[in-house]
Amino acid sequence: MLWQLVGLSILGSIGGLIGGVVLIMRKNPFTHSQSLLMVSFAAGVMLATAFLDILPEAGDPNWLAILSGIVFLFLLEKSLIWYHHHGDDCNSHTPLMITMGDTLHNFIDGIVMGATFLANPATGLVTTLAIIALEIPHEMADFGVMLSLGWSKKKVFLTNFVSASVSIVGAVGVYYFGIVPLSLLLSFAGGMFIYLACSDLIPELHHAHIKAPVTNNFLQIIVFGLGIVLVSVLGFILD
C-alpha cells in the first residue's frame, strides 16, 4: 500500500505540471477564454469530489472539521502564505513567493491524497485526479509569470518540479505519522476542496463574466457539468 500511495502522489505531482509543460511547448499562448474553460472544469471536479467522494467516505462527516478546512485556507490566503495565481493579477508576485506558496500548497495536496487513499484507494484516485484538474491552470499561470520575469524554461520547470515533489512527503507523512482519525482528515479535506472551488475558481468565472462572450459563458456551464459527471462516473466505476 505504501508504494501504491507513493505512485499515486507521483501521479498527482507530475499531472499538475502538465499545464506548465504545455505552456512552454506551445507556440501560441492559451487565450483567456480557453483558460476559463479549464477553470470551469476544475471547479466542477473539485465540488463533485468533495460532496460525492471525500465527505461520504468520512462516514459521518465532522462539520467542525469541514469548517476548519475552509477557515484554514482562508487564513493562509489572507496571511499571503498561500498563492493562487490567475491572469494578470500574478504580475506583482516574485518567483520566490510563488514557489513558497506552491510548495506549501503541494504539501497539503499530498496530505489530502494520502488521507483519502488510506480511507479508500478509489477515493484517493478520484481525489488525485481532482487535484490534477485544479493544478493544471494554476501551474500554467505560475510558469507564465516566471517566464515573463526572465527565468529560463529549464529553471522554471526544475523549480516547479521540486516544489511539486513535496506532495510525496505529505502523502508518506500521513502513512507513517498520521495520528488524526481519518474521518476528521477527510472532513477537513472536504472543507478545503469546497473552499477552493467556491472561493478561488467559481468567483474567477463570475469576475470574467462581463468580458467573456455569451458562447464562452455557455461552454463554461457545460464544462462545469462535465467535471461533475466525470467524477460521478469515475466513482461509480472504481467502487
Side-chain angles (χ1 to χ4, degrees), residues 10-71:
I10 291 175
L11 173 65
S13 302
I14 296 176
L17 293 174
I18 291 176
V21 173
V22 171
L23 181 66
I24 289 178
M25 296 179 63
R26 275 179 64 96
K27 294 182 179 180
N28 299 319
F30 285 94
T31 65
H32 185 56
S33 296
Q34 291 172 334
S35 298
L36 289 177
L37 289 179
M38 287 186 282
V39 172
S40 300
F41 180 76
V45 169
M46 294 292 286
L47 277 179
T49 301
F51 286 106
L52 301 181
D53 286 290
I54 297 179
L55 293 180
E57 197 61 44
D60 184 14
N62 185 295
W63 294 105
L64 180 59
I66 295 173
L67 178 61
S68 298
I70 295 173
V71 173

Side-chain angles (χ1 to χ4, degrees), residues 11 20 26 31 33 83 91 95 123 131 169 174 208 218 222 234-235:
L11 173 65
R26 275 179 64 96
T31 65
S33 296
Y83 288 92
N91 293 335
T123 302
I131 290 174
V169 179
V174 171
F218 182 69
I222 294 177
L234 279 177

Side-chain angles (χ1 to χ4, degrees), residues 13 17 24 94-104 106 139 142-143 146-147 151-167:
S13 302
L17 293 174
I24 289 178
T94 68
L96 178 60
M97 290 179 177
I98 294 173
T99 303
M100 290 175 59
D102 282 347
T103 300
L104 178 59
N106 293 325
E139 289 295 340
D142 291 345
F143 272 62
M146 292 181 176
L147 290 172
W151 282 36
S152 66
K153 294 181 179 180
K154 181 179 180 181
K155 185 177 181 180
V156 170
F157 175 78
L158 290 177
T159 300
N160 282 275
F161 179 80
V162 173
S163 176
S165 300
V166 174
S167 63

Side-chain angles (χ1 to χ4, degrees), residues 193-216:
F193 270 44
I194 294 170
Y195 177 88
L196 288 171
C198 296
S199 175
D200 279 19
L201 301 179
I202 293 178
E204 181 178 350
L205 300 175
H206 292 328
H207 178 71
H209 173 76
I210 299 177
K211 298 180 180 180
V214 175
T215 53
N216 189 262

